[in-house]
Amino acid sequence: MDTLAKHFEEKINNEVTIEAKDWLPDNYRKTLIRQISQHAHSEIVGMLPEGNWITRAPSLRRKAVLLAKVQDEAGHGLYLYSAAETLGISRDEMMDQLHTGKAKYSSIFNYPTISWADMGAIGWLVDGAAIMNQVPLCRTSYGPYARAMVRVCKEESFHQRQGFEIMLTLSNGSEVQRKMAQDALNRWWWPSIMMFGPPDDNSPHTAQSVRWRIKRFTNDELRQKFVDIGVEQAKILGLEVPDKDLKWNEERGHYDFGVINWDEFWNVVKGNGPCNKQRVETRKKAWDEGKWVRDAATAYAEKRKARAAESTMKAA
Ligand code: 3HC
């Protein structure tokens, strides 16, 4: 092993964060670009199913909170795109990968949001799953990613609570509202536990990512933690988790749960979920229609730069 690679390994083993200026093995860089850019794409595609409900939120308070939440997701996308850029990929390249289907984004955002209760279920379950995955990422080995995750996680915790509070209000409301909440749980439970990715024995990247301390837990470990907590939270809501095989296992100290429909997961990941085409089309349209804003911002930045250079020259 050459000196640079040895130094890198030592840093990883001693929990010293890797920084953008450091030497990195090519595959470490590629893995991070793949994961961080997919994560960033998930944040901005994730704005779509919820943005769909801003104008239909049932009160001004709900509208303001949902609007703030969707704006937070845009901010998360920006921190993450910036973290990925430190690894030598441009924003335009990442966008192109999203628009051409080369880069993935989370499977969960390819499901439709058909009732207000879905805003509750997404906040509670989807943001809940995101936190489960992302709190350990605050200790991921690449510094710019880890630091971005600290702020993201603070905001995601608020999102999870706003979702749970919607579910609590609905499940303590009228019979129709309780049914809406149960229906949302029925539709979002399984896709949420799929979010953690394929099982460990079918996950091509997990073992190496854990060795590099990019991932702190495996997909199955995080999924199990999420199920254990989610089932208890559903009890507080008085709702039933849609899994007839769910059972507390005294020996393991965990809930056993039913078989996940991995065919459905891969079908969605490959672009054939209920909303994949619509989501990518909407993102492309937003990118095309935002071109004039990017052009204007670039022209303004260039002009300022030229003016600053001119005044430096004059001063000299
Ligand atoms: N949706 C879509 N694709 C998925 C997926 C999912 N839920 N889970 C796994 N995959 C893809 C992987 O990207 C990989 O494809 P690739 O080789 O083309 O990149 C393939 O399936 C095999 O999966 P692996 O488990 O081997 O891949 P990873 O080691 O990258 O693990 C991961 C997948 C757990 C999602 C990991 O990438 C990760 O932790 N990412 C960061 C967190 C993230 O992206 N979260 C998105 C959640 S949504 C969100 O944060 C928005 C918030 O507002 C709710």
Side-chain angles (χ1 to χ4, degrees):
M1 196 186 281
D2 67 29
T3 322
L4 288 170
K6 206 167 153 224
H7 188 55
F8 170 82
E9 292 290 336
E10 272 168 14
K11 277 189 151 181
I12 295 282
N13 295 336
N14 293 323
E15 301 277 343
V16 177
T17 49
I18 306 296
E19 296 297 336
K21 60 182 173 18
D22 294 342
W23 179 89
L24 323 168
D26 237 22
N27 280 339
Y28 178 82
R29 184 187 300 278
K30 277 190 197 140
T31 300
L32 278 170
I33 290 179
R34 180 185 60 77
Q35 176 165 329
I36 303 173
S37 68
Q38 292 185 6
H39 191 166
H41 298 326
S42 304
E43 300 283 354
I44 61 157
V45 176
M47 295 167 72
L48 302 175
E50 290 178 292
N52 185 30
W53 274 91
I54 292 172
T55 55
R56 292 179 286 166
S59 69
L60 184 58
R61 181 172 85 91
R62 294 287 187 207
K63 199 188 284 285
V65 173
L66 186 60
L67 187 61
K69 184 191 168 191
V70 172
Q71 284 176 337
D72 285 350
E73 306 298 359
H76 299 175
L78 291 181
Y79 314 145
L80 289 162
Y81 285 125
S82 302
E85 279 173 320
T86 65
L87 291 154
I89 185 166
S90 71
R91 189 84 56 106
D92 283 1
E93 272 176 274
M94 288 186 268
M95 285 303 165
D96 187 61
Q97 290 177 353
L98 172 66
H99 298 156
T100 54
K102 203 173 154 213
K104 297 189 168 72
Y105 58 87
S106 185
S107 49
I108 194 77
F109 300 120
N110 293 306
Y111 291 86
T113 45
I114 59 177
S115 85
W116 169 250
D118 290 4
M119 294 307 97
I122 290 183
W124 169 37
L125 298 172
V126 175
D127 290 88
I131 296 170
M132 191 60 75
N133 175 298
Q134 292 169 17
V135 167
L137 289 176
C138 297
R139 293 185 295 113
T140 193
S141 55
Y142 187 58
Y145 190 21
R147 290 188 287 274
M149 291 321 298
V150 173
R151 170 121 183 226
V152 170
C153 285
K154 286 196 178 136
E155 292 176 349
E156 296 292 8
S157 308
F158 152 75
H159 298 171
Q160 195 271 351
R161 281 177 214 167
Q162 70 88 35
F164 191 77
E165 198 252 340
I166 293 174
M167 292 301 270
L168 197 59
T169 306
L170 291 174
S171 53
N172 286 321
S174 67
E175 189 47 27
V176 174
Q177 287 172 315
R178 207 197 61 76
K179 277 193 178 142
M180 268 171 71
Q182 181 63 55
D183 171 63
L185 170 56
N186 293 348
R187 285 179 292 104
W188 290 94
W189 176 258
W190 288 102
S192 297
I193 65 175
M194 289 175 193
M195 268 175 81
F196 295 95
D200 294 348
D201 57 11
N202 196 24
S203 158
H205 304 297
T206 293
Q208 183 58 64
S209 288
V210 168
R211 270 197 294 278
W212 275 329
R213 304 191 190 192
I214 292 174
K215 284 168 93 161
R216 292 290 177 157
F217 293 96
T218 70
N219 300 355
D220 285 334
E221 285 167 347
L222 291 171
R223 187 171 7 254
Q224 181 70 63
K225 280 175 189 245
F226 175 79
V227 170
D228 291 346
I229 291 177
V231 172
E232 295 304 318
Q233 291 175 337
K235 283 186 196 163
I236 296 169
L237 295 172
L239 300 176
E240 199 180 324
V241 172
D243 179 355
K244 61 179 174 26
D245 296 319
L246 200 62
K247 200 167 167 252
W248 178 251
N249 183 323
E250 197 61 51
E251 229 168 84
R252 291 199 314 120
H254 292 292
Y255 277 97
D256 290 336
F257 53 93
V259 178
I260 295 173
N261 184 344
W262 291 115
D263 289 343
E264 174 183 326
F265 171 77
W266 288 117
N267 196 40
V268 174
V269 170
K270 283 179 188 148
N272 305 316
C275 301
N276 295 61
K277 289 183 184 66
Q278 184 188 331
R279 299 286 184 246
V280 175
E281 282 310 313
T282 309
R283 282 307 321 161
K284 271 198 225 160
K285 187 165 177 277
W287 180 253
D288 292 343
E289 288 177 356
K291 184 175 180 306
W292 71 270
V293 180
R294 294 191 300 279
D295 288 348
T298 310
Y300 180 68
E302 274 164 8
K303 208 162 195 175
R304 274 179 66 109
K305 214 163 119 192
R307 269 206 210 122
E310 215 176 271
S311 42
T312 316
M313 270 179 27
K314 270 188 197 150

